[in-house]
Amino acid sequence: MTRPIGYFVHHQGRGHAERCAAVVNALPESQPVTVFCAKPDIFPTFTRAVEVITLPSLFEATGAEDINDTTSAPDMVHCAPLGWPGIRQAMAQLAAWFASANPVLMISDVSAEVAQLARICSVPHVKVLQHGQRGDPGHRAAYDGAVGLLCPAAKALAQPDWPARHMAKTHFAGGLGVDVKRPDPARRDRLRERLGVGPEQRMVLVMSGGGGTGFASAPFGIAARAMPETAFITIGRMARDWHATEPANLRHHGWVDNAADYLAAADMVVASTGNTTCHQILAAETPWLAVPEWRYFDEQVEKAEALARAGAPRITCRIFRLPPRHGAARFKTPSMPMTRPCNGPWSMRMPP
């Protein structure tokens, strides 16, 4: 009997699930796969048989917690609060599966704790490598203990501080989980007409991903009033202000299944530097004002700087960088975030 592959998927955002589906769908049908996730409904379609097991969330409270924890987090783990039965149950499910299924491999996308649990249980694991300040002991242990690392980006976007021992076992897979076909210029006029954008009108697309609370809508209302001849269209989750009076040239389309069509129609896109968002915009070749959102370990800030080094997007003039230990998830609130100019070029002007 063929030993199974296990796959842990973090349920924040969509990129983790999209990568998982791409990897699993590429495996032969004869290879058993078991996927573990707290939200099984986030996955795109699997094209082959897959066992999906729902785990308790590792970070969302249910009310059953005994939250009297005043200890600091150990350096070797990031998310290990005391008194959380959901975490105990999730780790127990994984450990029991390791013992009963005898997996040939475990893939962690992403959790340093799950990766370390696999190693402790004597299961080979592959750890997904993301951008960010991840030189802390917890990440180093997960990477050092892995039989391989999978980076969903081009090698040109590798951070200069990634150690050689990790780079030597990293497979770079730019575009993994995302349709990265180049745009068809012949479709542009038809797409703009479908979106109600005039042939000579300029269009700014605002893409707001699913990994956070979404961009605030109010600043784009101000921008739309300042540029009344320009069509501003948003897709994804936007944080609306109840007292904002938005102009008619700002339209919110919410979640859409055809983001590539919007990108092909746009003259410029404003978006974060989330993984799926980056791949979609780079594939579309649309001029891009990249705005990193806050994430643990400065993930999007480091991705923006990697893109700037590669000369890819137009980057915002300033980005927020957290003090070093805050980026390593010390769960302390800094009195004042530090700001510094981005290394890359930036411009608020529309492309000609």
Side-chain angles (χ1 to χ4, degrees):
M1 181 177 177
T2 304
R3 296 164 61 191
I5 292 175
Y7 207 129
F8 172 82
V9 177
H10 195 299
H11 62 278
Q12 181 180 16
R14 299 185 176 189
H16 308 285
E18 290 167 344
R19 287 195 291 268
C20 172
V23 171
V24 170
N25 288 339
L27 293 172
E29 187 70 33
S30 59
Q31 173 62 60
V33 179
T34 299
V35 173
F36 299 88
C37 185
K39 280 189 178 179
D41 60 346
I42 64 173
F43 292 93
T45 303
F46 287 109
T47 58
R48 42 152 294 155
V50 179
E51 180 186 26
V52 180
I53 295 178
T54 303
L55 288 179
S57 174
L58 298 178
F59 57 87
E60 292 170 297
T62 64
E65 293 74 21
D66 179 18
I67 304 180
N68 294 307
D69 182 11
T70 58
T71 63
S72 60
D75 286 341
M76 291 298 293
V77 292
H78 308 130
C79 185
L82 300 178
W84 283 56
I87 295 177
R88 285 195 295 272
Q89 293 160 13
M91 293 302 187
Q93 279 183 255
L94 288 168
W97 185 80
F98 291 156
S100 63
N102 189 26
V104 67
L105 183 70
M106 183 69 182
I107 302 172
S108 176
D109 187 359
V110 286
S111 167
E113 289 78 16
V114 169
Q116 291 187 64
L117 178 67
R119 180 64 192 236
I120 290 169
C121 291
S122 197
V123 175
H125 77 270
V126 167
K127 179 75 170 64
V128 169
L129 173 64
Q130 298 186 123
H131 288 83
Q133 297 181 31
R134 302 181 192 271
D136 59 277
H139 276 111
R140 287 203 305 269
Y143 298 149
D144 286 340
V147 296
L149 301 174
L150 175 62
C151 181
K155 191 173 183 179
L157 298 182
Q159 290 179 206
D161 61 341
W162 286 351
R165 69 182 187 278
H166 294 164
M167 291 286 284
K169 60 180 176 181
T170 298
H171 175 73
F172 291 90
L176 180 64
V178 182
D179 184 355
V180 290
K181 293 178 182 177
R182 299 188 69 179
D184 178 5
R187 299 178 62 231
R188 177 180 166 84
D189 290 341
R190 296 196 304 273
L191 293 171
R192 289 170 65 88
E193 182 179 4
R194 194 179 305 163
L195 294 173
V197 178
E200 302 301 323
Q201 188 179 19
R202 288 182 172 179
M203 171 185 162
V204 173
L205 174 67
V206 181
M207 287 182 66
S208 191
T213 56
F215 283 141
S217 177
F220 295 101
I222 295 171
R225 286 198 182 278
M227 304 165 67
E229 302 303 318
T230 297
F232 283 78
I233 297 177
T234 76
I235 58 176
R237 179 191 301 164
M238 299 292 293
R240 305 289 295 275
D241 288 301
W242 66 270
H243 60 288
T245 54
E246 297 178 345
N249 62 321
L250 172 62
R251 291 178 282 146
H252 303 287
H253 287 199
W255 289 111
V256 300
D257 295 326
N258 58 333
D261 290 346
Y262 284 79
L263 284 165
D267 295 291
M268 179 180 182
V269 59
V270 180
S272 72
T273 49
N275 189 70
T276 299
T277 299
C278 287
H279 285 131
Q280 289 175 325
I281 296 172
L282 292 172
E285 303 175 6
T286 305
W288 178 15
L289 182 64
V291 185
E293 294 186 87
W294 186 91
R295 292 292 185 273
Y296 284 111
F297 311 108
D298 273 349
E299 177 186 333
Q300 291 206 8
V301 171
E302 292 291 348
K303 175 68 75 64
E305 293 199 334
L307 289 163
R309 285 191 297 271
R314 291 185 168 94
I315 302 291
T316 47
C317 59
R318 284 190 178 272
I319 55 179
F320 287 88
R321 178 175 289 282
L322 300 172
R325 286 185 63 79
H326 192 337
R330 297 298 91 190
F331 303 108
K332 296 177 182 176
T333 303
S335 57
M336 179 65 69
M338 297 181 292
T339 67
R340 63 184 179 83
C342 221
N343 293 333
W346 63 277
S347 173
M348 281 301 293
R349 293 173 294 181
M350 291 289 292

